[in-house]
Amino acid sequence: MLGGFAGFTNPSGTDWGERMLNTVASNTIRHLFTRSESVEVSVRCNPSSKLLQGSIDSFKMQGRGLVIRRQFRTEEMSFETDAVSLDFSSVLKGQIHLKQPTQAIAQVVLTEPDINQSFKAELVRKRLENISIPELEDITGGKPISFTDVQLKLLPNNRIQLFAKVNLPDQELVPINMTSTLAVERRRRILFKDSKFEPDTIPEELRGKSEALTDALDKILNNMVDLDRFNLDGVTMRINRLETQGQQLIFSGYAQIDRIPNTP
């Protein structure tokens, strides 16, 4: 969709205003993330004199190895805006202030290792640990339980396989093995649909507990992955579609940009 982003360069004849805006925009966007391997920006403005009035035709960005909130890494993120109205005087100060919100088509690529690393992030762990599940009191003894060692494997056709272990009070760890289909709800929530307990790798004596705990984990996951918890300040992401490709999960959608944040 945004394949033309790769290798942005300033075309011959690009004036100082566009070059300066490219530099300021690159520095500003880079600082939205905890870390970044690369951030490339290209501004299109024809005629270039419109830039002095704060009007540009489009703004493109492609980044690699971008880390959000210190613990969530994206392999790639790219977007291209509609026409943008900005305060050109802010550019002269090394900042970008929008005169009005703008929208951008966007694409985000996550790798399987990065997804699995995100399950170790505090924001995710606190939703998987020390959980009380009243309907499973006969298994848990009424005490909180924790889901640990979560590992997700991407499969074709938006399918995933997920492994985990459940730490039951005063009992041995119970393994979980399930498959699901990833889907999108209201353009912001990731759903785990048609989830199925996979008993083949589970010891026979633990399959009853494992199946019940798998159902519980499925419900937890379906209330956990909401993009509004991961948005950058001033930027709202929405998903139109997702697709698994090998060891990558690709999201395509749009971003509503109300303002350019000044801090990560």
Side-chain angles (χ1 to χ4, degrees):
M1 179 175 67
L2 302 175
F5 284 1
F8 287 144
T9 56
N10 287 319
S12 177
T14 300
D15 68 11
W16 67 272
E18 287 189 13
R19 292 196 300 270
M20 180 173 63
L21 183 54
N22 283 346
T23 299
V24 172
S26 294
N27 291 335
T28 299
I29 291 174
R30 187 175 292 111
H31 283 90
L32 299 182
F33 303 97
T34 308
R35 296 192 307 276
S36 61
E37 293 174 12
S38 68
V39 174
E40 299 180 64
V41 170
S42 177
V43 174
R44 186 169 64 86
C45 184
N46 187 25
S48 58
S49 58
K50 292 195 302 183
L51 185 58
L52 296 176
Q53 282 75 51
S55 178
I56 61 177
D57 298 321
S58 69
F59 178 93
K60 302 178 183 180
M61 183 280 285
Q62 179 165 332
R64 293 185 60 85
L66 306 175
V67 179
I68 302 171
R69 298 183 186 273
R70 294 180 171 83
Q71 294 179 307
F72 300 97
R73 183 184 183 277
T74 63
E75 178 70 10
E76 297 178 15
M77 180 183 295
S78 54
F79 64 78
E80 179 177 2
T81 71
D82 298 329
V84 176
S85 178
L86 52 81
D87 180 359
F88 187 68
S89 66
S90 68
V91 179
L92 298 175
K93 301 174 184 176
Q95 302 173 341
I96 297 180
H97 293 160
L98 299 180
K99 289 183 178 179
Q100 60 189 36
T102 188
Q103 284 195 342
I105 57 173
Q107 180 169 287
V108 178
V109 178
L110 304 179
T111 66
E112 187 176 289
D114 287 335
I115 295 171
N116 284 320
Q117 186 64 32
S118 72
F119 280 107
K120 301 177 183 179
E122 182 180 359
L123 184 64
V124 176
R125 285 201 340 266
K126 70 181 183 181
R127 305 179 76 84
L128 294 173
E129 297 178 351
N130 298 314
I131 301 169
S132 294
I133 305 176
E135 58 267 33
L136 295 181
E137 284 189 2
D138 56 332
I139 295 176
T140 66
K143 297 179 181 179
I145 62 173
S146 297
F147 295 89
T148 64
D149 300 327
V150 179
Q151 289 290 313
L152 180 145
K153 180 177 177 60
L154 296 173
L155 304 175
N157 301 317
N158 296 353
R159 298 280 293 168
I160 62 101
Q161 185 164 17
L162 189 142
F163 306 90
K165 294 178 181 177
V166 185
N167 188 1
L168 295 177
D170 305 319
Q171 300 182 50
E172 62 183 315
L173 290 174
V174 177
I176 283 178
N177 183 356
M178 62 182 283
T179 54
S180 296
T181 298
L182 297 180
V184 180
E185 180 184 59
R186 293 185 294 176
R187 295 189 175 185
R188 66 181 178 87
R189 289 184 59 201
I190 307 301
L191 296 182
F192 294 74
K193 298 183 64 176
D194 304 321
S195 296
K196 180 183 176 183
F197 171 61
E198 302 289 346
D200 292 348
T201 62
I202 308 299
E204 187 172 354
E205 68 274 13
L206 295 177
R207 287 178 183 174
K209 290 181 180 180
S210 181
E211 185 171 9
L213 292 165
T214 296
D215 291 340
L217 178 58
D218 181 56
K219 293 177 182 178
I220 292 169
L221 292 173
N222 274 306
N223 287 287
M224 185 171 69
V225 188
D226 190 323
L227 285 186
D228 285 350
R229 296 194 181 103
F230 303 94
N231 282 328
L232 299 168
D233 181 31
V235 181
T236 301
M237 299 287 291
R238 289 293 179 259
I239 302 172
N240 290 332
R241 63 188 297 266
L242 60 79
E243 181 180 5
T244 56
Q245 290 186 8
Q247 282 198 317
Q248 292 185 333
L249 178 59
I250 302 173
F251 298 93
S252 300
Y254 71 92
Q256 171 78 19
I257 306 172
D258 296 320
R259 62 186 181 279
I260 305 296
N262 294 320
T263 58

